[in-house]
């Protein structure tokens, strides 16, 4: 089982899943490009690059790929690029749609601001809280709100490149997803996710023949974290 995190997070966001599955499964937690212990990101990349990089680090024939947000987008396209390497895929809080005008404006402004800093500014934590927390977490889960401060550990220039690559530069992947065959795919949406609303995630699931789609109640963008609700 390979777990790929959201933008601004590293593999440790999967600690609960690791503790649950590690006794019975081999679990690999991935740090995305420019995050955690991965090399700094200083160029534009796309989901094909991410898929190729995953194949390079896999030392097994097949995996169950689980991803949240950026990781969920990868979990969607990976079976299309490498069906022979995919036993199953789970995409959480993800999209196959190009960015909206609002997303492009927001991400461009944030990436430009972050690129000017050598250390992650406090404003980034506020942006993460706005993007990642839903009404339930805001009202009743101070632990999750505190967790969003994790982004202050990130390299701001790497996050700026990731924003340009994955948010601003992403393409419409629905046609590619429609080529997936004979791979079990589960797509999960958070009821309170303001980044990728339920209808956007459902459209992604509808593009994958035979996929299963479910909505997680009282859950926002980081559904992989039990603290998200």
């Amino acid at each position: 089982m390979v777990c790929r995190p959201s933008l601004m997070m590293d593999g440790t966001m999967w600690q609960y899943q690791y503790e649950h599955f590690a006794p019975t499964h081999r679990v690999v937690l991935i740090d995305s490009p420019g995050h955690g212990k991965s090399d700094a990101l200083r160029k534009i990349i796309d989901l094909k690059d991410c898929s190729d990089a995953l194949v390079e680090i896999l030392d097994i024939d097949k995996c169950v790929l689980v991803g949240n947000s950026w990781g969920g987008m990868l979990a969607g396209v990976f079976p299309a690029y490498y069906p022979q390497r995919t036993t199953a895929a789970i995409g959480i809080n993800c999209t196959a749609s190009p960015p909206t005008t609002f997303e492009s404006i927001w991400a461009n402004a944030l990436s430009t601001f972050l690129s000017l800093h050598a250390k992650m500014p406090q404003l980034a934590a506020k942006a993460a809280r706005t993007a990642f927390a839903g009404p339930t977490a805001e009202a009743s889960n101070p632990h999750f709100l505190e967790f969003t401060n994790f982004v202050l550990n990130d390299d701001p220039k790497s996050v700026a490149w990731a924003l340009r690559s994955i948010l601003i530069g992403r393409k419409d992947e629905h046609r590619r997803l429609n080529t997936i065959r004979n791979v079990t795919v589960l797509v999960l949406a958070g009821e309170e996710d303001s980044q990728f609303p339920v209808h956007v995630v459902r459209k992604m699931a509808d593009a994958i023949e035979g996929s299963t789609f479910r909505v997680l109640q009282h859950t926002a963008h980081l559904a992989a974290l039990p603290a998200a609700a």
Side-chain angles (χ1 to χ4, degrees):
M1 178 181 293
V2 177
C3 299
R4 183 68 148 60
S6 166
L7 182 70
M8 294 187 170
M9 299 284 120
D10 69 4
T12 61
M13 74 169 285
W14 298 98
Q15 60 180 320
Y16 299 100
Q17 288 76 18
Y18 181 85
E19 292 168 2
H20 179 80
F21 288 107
T24 54
H25 295 71
R26 182 184 180 193
V27 182
V28 179
L29 308 183
I30 302 293
D31 287 351
S32 305
H35 293 69
K37 295 181 180 178
S38 290
D39 292 341
L41 185 60
R42 294 295 186 268
K43 65 178 182 178
I44 294 293
I45 60 173
D46 59 20
L47 293 174
K48 179 60 165 61
D49 296 322
C50 295
S51 298
D52 294 343
L54 181 56
V55 169
E56 286 184 19
I57 64 176
L58 283 177
D59 60 355
I60 53 177
D61 290 337
K62 287 191 174 186
C63 71
V64 175
L65 179 57
V66 186
N68 195 136
S69 189
W70 179 4
M73 297 179 209
L74 177 60
V77 302
F78 189 75
Y81 286 120
Y82 292 104
Q84 74 280 12
R85 306 300 298 272
T86 316
T87 299
I90 303 173
I92 310 169
N93 302 104
C94 45
T95 182
S97 299
T100 64
T101 300
F102 175 79
E103 274 186 284
S104 296
I105 294 172
W106 175 85
N108 264 305
L110 182 58
S111 65
T112 300
F113 177 70
L114 293 181
S115 68
L116 300 176
H117 291 76
K119 182 179 179 181
M120 188 64 76
Q122 284 288 334
L123 180 63
K126 183 177 180 179
R129 175 174 172 170
T130 300
F132 295 158
T136 300
E138 289 279 4
S140 61
N141 204 322
H143 173 73
F144 179 76
L145 301 182
E146 183 180 346
F147 182 85
T148 58
N149 288 328
F150 177 91
V151 304
L152 297 176
N153 300 320
D154 288 330
D155 170 7
K157 297 185 188 305
S158 286
V159 172
W161 281 105
L163 285 166
R164 296 183 191 114
S165 299
I166 304 304
L167 287 187
I168 303 167
R170 72 175 189 265
K171 304 175 180 66
D172 190 323
E173 299 285 359
H174 293 95
R175 184 171 297 180
R176 191 181 315 280
L177 299 184
N178 194 243
T179 67
I180 297 172
R181 298 290 185 273
N182 303 317
V183 176
T184 300
V185 179
L186 172 63
V187 180
L188 302 175
E191 178 191 30
E192 298 180 0
D193 188 356
S194 62
Q195 295 303 293
F196 304 136
V198 171
H199 71 277
V200 172
V201 186
R202 187 191 301 274
K203 183 179 179 182
M204 177 177 177
D206 288 345
I208 305 172
E209 183 177 293
S211 69
T212 299
F213 175 73
R214 294 288 185 271
V215 177
L216 304 177
Q217 303 297 314
H218 312 298
T219 302
H221 190 63
L222 296 184
L225 290 166

